[in-house]
Amino acid sequence: MEVTRVEQHAYIKITVLRGRNKMECHSEFVEALGNNVVPFRTVARRVGKFQQGNVSTSDEQRSGRPHSVRTGLARAVKEQLMDEDRRWMLLELERATLKTAVKLGTTKPLLDLGAKLYIPHFKHCSNYSVNLADEKDLECWIRTTALTAYHPVGTCAMESKTANIAGVVDRRLSVRGIKNLKVVDASVFPHLTSGNPHAAILMIAERSADFVLQDIELDERNARD
C-alpha cells in the first residue's frame, strides 16, 4: 500500500501514543512499508516533538486543512493498525495452538504409543532458545513453517438468485457472452462449502458432462430439423 510522508507522520504520532520509542517506531515502519520510508533521523525528530507535545502545524497551515481530513490519511493509518492487530492476534492464536498440540502429544496415552516431541531447528532462528518457553522461537518457527489450508473458490462464481450474484457462469456452467466455453472446477462455487469441496467438485464435473451431452443432442436435433 502506498503511504505518503504526511500519512507516515500521522502514523508516527499514533505509535508514540501507543508507547513506542524512536527505534521501535522506525522498525515498525520498515517492517510494514519496506525501506521506502522516512529516514530514521526524521522519525526520531518527529517522535521527540510528539513526546514533548510540540507538534508543528505548518503542514496543516500550508494545506489549509487539518491532517485528519486529508484524503486517505485516516484510512491509511487505520489500515496499518488493523493489519498489525490482525498479525498479532493470529500469531497469539498460532502460539496457543502449538502449545495445545504439544500438551496433547505428551499425554500418557500417546506417550505409551511411542509419540515423541520433535522441535525443528532452523538456522535463521538460532538467535533464540530452541524450546517452547521462548516466545520468539515459537514466532520464528511459525513464520517459517505456517501455511494456509484454505480451498480457494468463487473466482468464476455461478449465478445465484438467492444470494444476488450475477455470476461469471450461468447455471449450466457456460461463461456468459462466450460460446462453447464452460468452467468446471471449484471456481464456479458461489460460496465455500461447509465441508471438504472434493465431493462437490466431482458433482460439478458429472453435471457438466450431462450438460455437454445435452448440448450435443440439441445441436444434432436442430441440424436434422
Side-chain angles (χ1 to χ4, degrees):
M1 180 180 63
E2 292 293 331
V3 181
T4 67
R5 291 202 173 195
V6 171
E7 291 166 343
Q8 290 181 37
H9 293 159
Y11 187 79
I12 291 171
K13 186 172 184 178
I14 291 177
T15 57
V16 170
L17 293 174
R18 293 169 62 236
R20 301 292 193 266
N21 60 32
K22 300 171 185 177
M23 290 295 297
E24 291 170 335
C25 182
H26 191 259
S27 295
E28 285 190 16
F29 266 136
V30 173
E31 181 181 354
L33 305 174
N35 292 321
N36 188 27
V37 298
V38 290
F40 174 74
R41 62 180 180 275
T42 304
V43 172
R45 186 172 65 251
R46 284 275 173 168
V47 168
K49 287 185 177 180
F50 288 140
Q51 288 175 335
Q52 297 167 11
N54 181 24
V55 183
S56 171
T57 59
S58 57
D59 289 328
E60 288 93 335
Q61 292 169 350
R62 281 197 295 271
S63 66
R65 52 180 176 167
H67 286 165
S68 58
V69 298
R70 281 182 61 94
T71 303
L73 171 59
R75 187 187 308 114
V77 173
K78 182 179 178 181
E79 287 178 4
Q80 291 289 345
L81 294 176
M82 287 179 65
D83 285 345
E84 180 180 327
D85 289 341
R86 278 193 292 265
R87 288 196 300 270
W88 181 83
M89 286 188 292
L90 182 58
L91 183 60
E92 289 300 305
L93 176 62
E94 289 171 338
R95 281 181 182 142
T97 301
L98 273 178
K99 291 177 180 178
T100 301
V102 169
K103 287 181 180 179
L104 290 174
T106 52
T107 54
K108 187 176 185 304
L110 289 178
L111 291 175
D112 290 344
L113 292 173
K116 294 181 180 179
L117 177 62
Y118 170 71
I119 300 179
H121 297 256
F122 300 110
K123 185 176 180 180
H124 56 279
C125 300
S126 59
N127 292 333
Y128 312 116
S129 303
V130 184
N131 63 68
L132 297 170
D134 190 326
E135 297 292 328
K136 287 294 184 180
D137 185 56
L138 283 179
E139 179 179 344
C140 191
W141 180 2
I142 291 166
R143 290 183 182 279
T144 303
T145 61
L147 349 139
T148 175
Y150 289 129
H151 298 280
V153 304
T155 51
C156 290
M158 183 191 308
E159 69 175 13
S160 173
K161 292 182 179 178
T162 55
N164 197 27
I165 299 174
V168 176
V169 299
D170 60 24
R171 295 190 176 194
R172 295 178 66 84
L173 305 177
S174 297
V175 177
R176 295 179 179 279
I178 302 178
K179 188 177 181 181
N180 297 328
L181 178 62
K182 293 182 181 292
V183 177
V184 188
D185 57 27
S187 65
V188 303
F189 291 5
H191 305 286
L192 186 61
T193 55
S194 58
N196 191 288
H198 179 71
I201 294 170
L202 294 181
M203 180 275 296
I204 289 284
E206 290 283 352
R207 196 74 179 108
S208 178
D210 291 340
F211 291 150
V212 170
L213 291 175
Q214 291 170 9
D215 291 343
I216 292 173
E217 290 176 1
L218 181 60
D219 289 342
E220 290 177 347
R221 192 180 306 118
N222 290 336
R224 286 196 301 269
D225 294 342

